[in-house]
Amino acid sequence: EIEKCSKDKTNHWRSIGLAKASQGKLGVVLMAGGQGTRLGSSAPKGCYNIGLPSNKSLFQLQAERLLRLQHLAAASAGKADAEVEIPWYIMTSEFTDDDTKCFFADHEFFGLKPGQVKFFQQGTMPCVTESGRIIMESASKLARAPDGNGGLYMALARSGCLEDMETRGVEVVDCYCVDNALARLGDPLFVGYCCEQGADCGARVVAKAYPEERVGVFARRAGAVQVVEYSELHPEQACGVGPDGQLLYNWGNVAMHFFTRAFLKKVAEQFERTGVYHVARKNIPSVAGTVPGVKLELFIFDAFQLADKFALLEVKRHEEFAPVKNAAGSLTDSPDTARALVLDLHRSWIQAAGGVTQEDGTSRPCVEVSPLASYAGEGLQDRARGLVFTPSGTVMENLPVQAVPPPTESPLARGVAGIVRWLKRKRE
């Protein structure tokens, strides 16, 4: 558990990860094949704006975190920012590939070099009926569906991305999903931890919010680390506790993984030969109309049992996990809940840096810290100390901060400042 680790230890792991990045040995893989259908959008999910003050999309937030990480890695090695480049491999699908590429081009790759962003498509499998007959989408075309997030391994190999990693000298990768608004892509602390452990595969995990949370959990099965789906756990197992009073199955899988390049290659080769597909029963569009059928999927965690050494690191949920899966207005995993988690975290960064967040009795200050200004709360002291942030909203970019100056000790000055704030609220 990272919360129980000393600052010296976490700084040590972070320095290892930053060294990997500065030496060109770290890559980042993004799984972004899904559309925002449940969010009310047909666009790729990464294009979605969760309603932050900056109105940045998930893609932009993540691209800017990568830019900030490059800056931190360069600074740690005494290099110029331009000397450090972390390649970003983005897995799309046939439904999102064109739109994703256009979105990045239209936004000039959000400041990244176009050559460091590699798009590759997830594979597909034919859809079949319960009796095993192939479903036809049209008279001359098979009905097909994405082959699951476990298709990542073969897609990396087939697309030439693994070869590209080898050419660049990438040794390890951090892998995550696009629908996490707090994803710390390329997290140097996690990367450094896995490298020091000598792991070829690893995962960041979070403690379950409650025993029956619908999330897969990590467990040992037949001696190997695997993910057990929540539907496989009996309620008594899900709620079971050990001698220490902690849940026996408490480490939730939130799709934040570490792989060595060698492990990715090994799994791709094995899945090509002996991949085991899972059955997903869905309604399938066909030439005869929508029919009940079966989609065949691979799961990314099916490969974990192939690891020679697996590393798990429990991170703080409120710092690294803000899922965006359900429509606005939903009670969980919605743009609203994700936005609140992001702003709560950023407010805590401002307070830790010496800034003052001032409430007006009805709402809390709405402070968004751009990824260009801070990756994980660092570097804010000189810019936030002594400033007062009000509920009117502030976006802290990589520029001087606009904020209300702190009141002096003079009663007159405090009164004037109060009148100014009141007039500002009236105008708004």
Side-chain angles (χ1 to χ4, degrees):
E1 296 178 38
I2 199 167
E3 201 165 10
K4 296 180 180 178
C5 297
S6 69
K7 190 172 183 179
D8 286 344
K9 178 60 72 174
T10 55
N11 284 341
H12 172 64
W13 292 333
R14 188 177 291 107
S15 67
I16 294 174
L18 289 173
K20 289 289 186 185
S22 68
Q23 295 162 9
K25 297 178 180 180
L26 172 65
V28 173
V29 174
L30 167 60
M31 294 181 285
Q35 295 171 290
T37 308
R38 281 195 285 174
L39 301 171
S41 169
S42 61
K45 193 177 286 187
C47 301
Y48 194 81
N49 165 15
I50 65 171
L52 291 169
S54 65
N55 288 313
K56 292 177 181 177
S57 66
L58 291 169
F59 277 142
Q60 182 170 356
L61 292 172
Q62 292 163 20
E64 291 183 354
R65 280 191 197 118
L66 190 59
L67 284 166
R68 178 65 182 179
L69 178 58
Q70 289 180 167
H71 169 76
L72 294 174
S76 72
K79 295 182 176 181
D81 285 8
E83 296 180 81
V84 175
E85 183 176 295
I86 301 173
W88 198 12
Y89 301 92
I90 301 177
M91 185 172 76
T92 64
S93 68
E94 64 174 305
F95 309 106
T96 64
D97 188 66
D98 288 342
D99 288 342
T100 300
K101 290 175 178 176
C102 288
F103 193 75
F104 271 75
D106 290 346
H107 292 84
E108 298 180 326
F109 288 79
F110 306 104
L112 294 166
K113 299 175 184 176
Q116 77 180 99
V117 182
K118 300 291 183 183
F119 301 100
F120 66 104
Q121 281 195 47
Q122 181 178 8
T124 61
M125 287 290 290
C127 300
V128 298
T129 65
E130 285 285 350
S131 61
R133 295 177 63 86
I134 291 177
I135 298 173
M136 300 298 295
E137 181 179 320
S138 67
S140 59
K141 184 179 180 182
L142 300 180
R144 305 181 69 90
D147 59 2
N149 57 17
L152 168 78
Y153 305 105
M154 293 184 293
L156 282 168
R158 294 169 180 169
S159 65
C161 287
L162 287 183
E163 185 178 350
D164 182 79
M165 290 180 191
E166 185 173 6
T167 300
R168 292 172 180 266
V170 171
E171 297 177 353
V172 297
V173 302
D174 181 61
C175 178
Y176 72 103
C177 285
V178 73
D179 56 6
N180 179 2
L182 283 176
R184 290 185 183 176
L185 56 161
D187 182 10
L189 191 158
F190 174 57
V191 169
Y193 167 74
C194 291
C195 289
E196 186 174 74
Q197 296 297 310
D200 51 357
C201 184
R204 278 174 278 181
V205 300
V206 299
K208 288 199 294 186
Y210 49 91
E212 301 85 1
E213 185 177 10
R214 295 164 68 88
V215 61
V217 295
F218 282 88
R220 284 198 176 274
R221 178 182 282 171
V225 173
Q226 297 187 38
V227 173
V228 178
E229 290 284 49
Y230 64 85
S231 57
E232 298 180 69
L233 285 178
H234 189 276
E236 290 182 1
Q237 292 176 306
C239 298
V241 297
D244 59 357
Q246 298 295 313
L247 287 174
L248 291 173
Y249 300 101
N250 192 40
W251 277 356
N253 172 36
V254 288
M256 296 188 288
H257 307 307
F258 167 92
F259 304 112
T260 63
R261 189 188 74 242
F263 180 80
L264 291 172
K265 182 179 179 181
K266 178 177 77 172
V267 174
E269 292 171 350
Q270 182 146 338
F271 274 22
E272 286 281 10
R273 297 193 305 269
T274 59
V276 178
Y277 287 86
H278 301 263
V279 168
R281 291 176 172 82
K282 304 283 186 179
N283 289 325
I284 310 295
S286 78
V287 65
T290 301
V291 298
V294 170
K295 294 181 179 180
L296 301 174
E297 299 177 332
L298 293 164
F299 294 160
I300 193 169
F301 52 73
D302 289 338
F304 293 173
Q305 60 188 314
L306 303 177
D308 293 325
K309 184 164 186 181
F310 198 96
L312 291 170
L313 182 66
E314 182 184 333
V315 297
K316 299 176 183 178
R317 177 188 286 255
H318 72 278
E319 291 184 349
E320 302 200 32
F321 188 50
V324 187
K325 297 181 182 295
N326 300 322
S330 301
L331 296 178
T332 60
D333 300 349
S334 71
D336 312 293
T337 58
R339 180 174 63 252
L341 287 167
V342 171
L343 296 177
D344 282 349
L345 178 63
H346 291 184
R347 186 162 42 248
S348 73
W349 288 356
I350 292 297
Q351 291 169 343
V356 178
T357 54
Q358 195 173 75
E359 300 186 22
D360 64 2
T362 59
S363 59
R364 291 180 294 180
C366 182
V367 183
E368 177 187 358
V369 178
S370 167
L372 296 172
S374 185
Y375 178 86
E378 81 292 333
L380 299 176
Q381 289 80 3
D382 291 342
R383 302 175 58 202
R385 186 185 296 115
L387 293 178
V388 175
F389 296 83
T390 68
S392 60
T394 299
V395 180
M396 181 181 283
E397 292 286 0
N398 197 21
L399 299 165
V401 180
Q402 299 298 317
V404 181
T408 68
E409 292 300 315
S410 163
L412 176 60
R414 285 199 297 271
V416 171
I419 292 171
V420 170
R421 289 194 295 273
W422 179 80
L423 288 172
K424 183 178 180 181
R425 287 197 297 271
K426 290 284 286 184
R427 288 196 297 270
E428 293 173 347

